[in-house]
Amino acid sequence: MPDLPPKPAAGVSRRTVARATAAAGLAVLFGAAGGTGRAGAAARLGPRTLDVSVPSAALGRSAPVRLILPSDFGARPERTYPVLYLLHGAHDDYRSWTRETDIEAFTEGRDLIVAMPDAGPTGIPSVWRDGPDYETFQVKEVPALLARDYRASGVRAVAGVSTGGYGAMAHAARHPGAFTAAASYSGILDTTAPGVPAIMDAIVARENLPAASLWGHPLLNLLTWRDFNPRARAAGLRGTALYVSQGSGVGGGSGDPLPGVLESALWPSAQGFAGALTRLGIRATTHLYSGGGHDWAYWKREFTASWPMLARALGVPE
């Protein structure tokens, strides 16, 4: 996303008054959120941005979600808003989108809620065989809290990077109709493609977790692996607006070769997923490009390219 230039200071304007009104409304909301008994404490980070601790039965603990609320949230208590879910990648956390992009400035005035839920240290938002259920947390529990406490409507879109891209397509495929649109930027879209199970195992092992704790052994528990594979569940994406981007990684990146290597390792997975959509007659916007790397420099560009589709699905201005 292109960085937006800072706006010059001026006298008190209607926009300033509106922001102050919204901030006052948020202050009331933050105070109420901690006292409802349904959500944990909300930490205010800015006029529109807050971190909410969500008690989760699926995880067996509370987990954080970063929210960006609409500019007029405090001034329009009667209004509901669509939600854009942004999922983080492996070995990162729910703060990544606000750290790496200008998503706060980008969404100002666009009348939507942005929700960035935690997916644990691996960033794989799935139902773990021996562990937490991040799928239920992200697809059921967080939306329920947003509808109850933050006036979220039933219109939702999801997008993610790397393992978050996996999550975006897996969630939409495994829960048909839950999302109006799904976008993946360098996501893991065919988990049983050659070499990909080893990548998944490496992601899990890097966090000092047993590889089999995710979905079990990729051969002995093949049916489970297929059940959570976006390619195998692609039929569930019919009717959902889709955006799929992936680089070949050949010559991608600069300096550090690792982003290009990682991107190239996922290239066949993206091609197989796109081919499966074509065979099923499911329409998707695909950008399978030469080069590129597995990093934010490319993901920010791809988010910008996918935004018109996401905006139409959410019913907000482009």
Side-chain angles (χ1 to χ4, degrees), residues 252-273:
S254 58
D256 184 3
L258 183 58
V261 172
L262 290 174
E263 195 75 353
S264 65
L266 296 177
W267 176 253
S269 172
Q271 288 185 310
F273 178 75

Side-chain angles (χ1 to χ4, degrees), residues 77-189:
E78 79 291 349
R79 185 168 184 178
T80 61
Y81 299 90
V83 183
L84 172 63
Y85 290 84
L86 296 177
L87 309 184
H88 66 82
H91 319 303
D92 210 329
D93 61 34
Y94 66 99
R95 300 168 292 185
S96 65
W97 278 87
T98 51
R99 184 185 68 240
E100 300 291 346
T101 78
D102 68 339
I103 189 66
E104 293 163 291
F106 184 82
T107 56
E108 185 173 2
R110 285 195 160 101
D111 293 334
L112 78 159
I113 297 170
V114 181
M116 295 154 280
D118 184 52
T122 66
I124 304 172
S126 186
V127 182
W128 286 58
R129 180 184 179 91
D130 297 312
D133 180 355
Y134 281 102
E135 181 182 274
T136 296
F137 175 67
Q138 293 189 352
V139 178
K140 301 291 186 181
E141 294 178 332
V142 174
L145 178 133
L146 294 183
R148 188 176 60 223
D149 295 348
Y150 295 93
R151 307 201 311 270
S153 73
V155 178
R156 303 193 291 265
V158 60
V161 301
S162 189
T163 53
Y166 159 80
M169 289 299 165
H171 289 348
R174 286 172 49 80
H175 301 272
F179 300 94
T180 58
S184 167
Y185 320 116
S186 303
I188 304 173
L189 304 181

Side-chain angles (χ1 to χ4, degrees), residues 39-68:
R44 179 178 176 179
L45 306 177
R48 299 170 49 227
T49 305
L50 61 150
D51 286 348
V52 178
S53 180
V54 181
S56 169
L59 301 181
R61 61 177 176 84
S62 293
V65 178
R66 178 158 290 182
L67 300 179
I68 302 173

Side-chain angles (χ1 to χ4, degrees), residues 188 190-204 211 214-215 217-219 225:
I188 304 173
D190 184 356
T191 59
T192 59
V196 175
I199 294 174
M200 302 296 285
D201 286 350
I203 292 170
V204 174
L214 178 55
W215 299 318
H217 191 279
L219 294 179
W225 278 73

Side-chain angles (χ1 to χ4, degrees), residues 294-307:
H294 204 73
D295 57 39
W296 281 99
Y298 296 94
W299 300 336
K300 288 189 288 187
R301 181 190 73 185
E302 293 304 315
F303 174 82
T304 300
S306 69
W307 173 249

Side-chain angles (χ1 to χ4, degrees), residues 27-39:
V28 173
L29 174 64
F30 296 145
T36 61
R38 295 176 297 189

Side-chain angles (χ1 to χ4, degrees), residues 227-305:
D227 192 35
F228 290 101
N229 186 355
R231 178 177 178 175
R233 300 295 296 264
L237 295 169
R238 194 177 307 278
T240 303
L242 302 173
Y243 185 92
V244 178
S245 68
Q246 175 74 44
S248 69
V250 177
S254 58
D256 184 3
L258 183 58
V261 172
L262 290 174
E263 195 75 353
S264 65
L266 296 177
W267 176 253
S269 172
Q271 288 185 310
F273 178 75
L277 293 178
T278 299
R279 288 190 293 275
L280 290 169
I282 297 174
R283 297 181 60 183
T285 300
T286 58
H287 185 206
L288 305 182
Y289 52 92
S290 178
H294 204 73
D295 57 39
W296 281 99
Y298 296 94
W299 300 336
K300 288 189 288 187
R301 181 190 73 185
E302 293 304 315
F303 174 82
T304 300

